[in-house]
Amino acid sequence: MKPSDATMFMPPGASTVAAEVDLLYYFIYWVSVFFFIVITVGTLWFAIRYRRKPGETSRLTPGITHHLGLEVFWTVIPTILMFVIFVWGFRSFMHLMVIPGNAMEIKVDAKQWDWYFKYNEGIVSPNKLVVPVGKPIKLLMKSRDVIHSFYIPDYRVKWDVVPNRYSSLWFEALEPGEHDIFCTEFCGNDHSRMIARVHALTPEAYARWLKEAGGIRKGETCEEFGKRLYVENGCNACHTVDGSPSVGPSWKGIWGSLGKLADGSTVKVDENYIRESILEPEKKIVKGYKPQMSSFAGLLDDEAIGCLIEFIKAQGATSGGDGDE
Ligand code: CUA
């Protein structure tokens, strides 16, 4: 099977199911075009041929009740066409739905507004899905907040990603290459920016990638690892490290300070508070901020949380602050 170029209504086809999806699509398309022309031309022809001519006062149409041959003709033909489309579509749908037994599983976590791809080898890859070509890939997907929809146009696969339950889809990439992944369910502010990429690699290149991405720490110190987590998990979208205000409190000098909470109480910013804030962010909201962070439970393990804490410590500490601005 060969990848296909983009056509008038379809992007390039780069997966094993693309050709059959396109074929059925264009079959339905051209059948529709054919009948559109037949019906439009027929209507125009009748309208012109049987219009009331100038000077004509009464020319009644004879009372035709029915024409058996014609009625059978225009009932049987569309019925056959519908059955062809149904059987063909159902077979393709089953092909798209039934995940091959030898498929390799990758877990997908969706949250506003990122995709996380989790590999059995322990790798978590944000917004970059790396797969080997020539192997069926099963995505086991769930959402951490609202309904998203996972869509790779070039692979012709799309499925909803829903909170509190798993959904799945599968595909097999034909050739090495990069393709867009879109969220195709309106999911809030940055829905349109919830874009990721799928990188299809040769099996050799994939093995190399696994190895490189594999060791979670990649030889970094705990603080360096924490810094990478800060970027890769998008902490930096809401928490600055230079003291400037953002969606969430800046991490500059936060360590050891006494933070004022929305309910009026204070809390010391220590290991337990940060750990709790990562896992159950809505529990203690800092005064002046909104509870908009989603939990990282299941995404960050103890080692990762420990190293994020190291990174936060490295942003400077306040000792014995009273929490008042
Ligand atoms: Cu996620 Cu739209």
Side-chain angles (χ1 to χ4, degrees), residues 216-217 220-237 239 241 251 300 303-315:
I216 318 175
R217 286 271 285 266
E220 296 154 309
T221 65
C222 193
E223 187 192 319
E224 288 165 348
F225 179 44
K227 184 176 184 181
R228 182 156 61 81
L229 291 170
Y230 169 70
V231 176
E232 286 184 354
N233 287 283
C235 313
N236 57 355
H239 300 281
V241 289
W251 288 357
L300 296 172
E303 188 188 9
I305 291 172
C307 290
L308 262 175
I309 291 173
E310 281 305 308
F311 177 67
I312 291 172
K313 273 187 195 170
Q315 305 314 310

Side-chain angles (χ1 to χ4, degrees), residues 148-201:
H148 304 273
S149 186
F150 183 91
Y151 182 31
I152 311 180
D154 293 356
Y155 288 173
R156 311 285 192 272
V157 289
K158 169 154 89 172
W159 203 256
D160 275 9
V161 182
V162 184
N164 294 319
R165 85 167 180 217
Y166 290 107
S167 56
S168 51
L169 60 76
W170 80 276
F171 62 82
E172 182 180 329
L174 286 172
E175 271 184 6
E178 273 187 44
H179 305 274
D180 284 319
I181 298 170
F182 295 130
C183 175
T184 171
E185 181 85 50
F186 181 67
C187 57
N189 271 4
D190 283 345
H191 154 72
S192 61
R193 290 202 273 170
M194 194 168 166
I195 298 170
R197 297 279 278 171
V198 54
H199 296 240
L201 304 177

Side-chain angles (χ1 to χ4, degrees), residues 6 19 43 61 69 81 85 103 116 159 167 187 274-275 284 296 301:
T43 306
T61 311
L81 263 173
I85 291 169
Y116 295 93
W159 203 256
S167 56
C187 57
I274 291 174
R275 183 185 161 79
K284 291 180 184 144
F296 282 81
D301 61 12

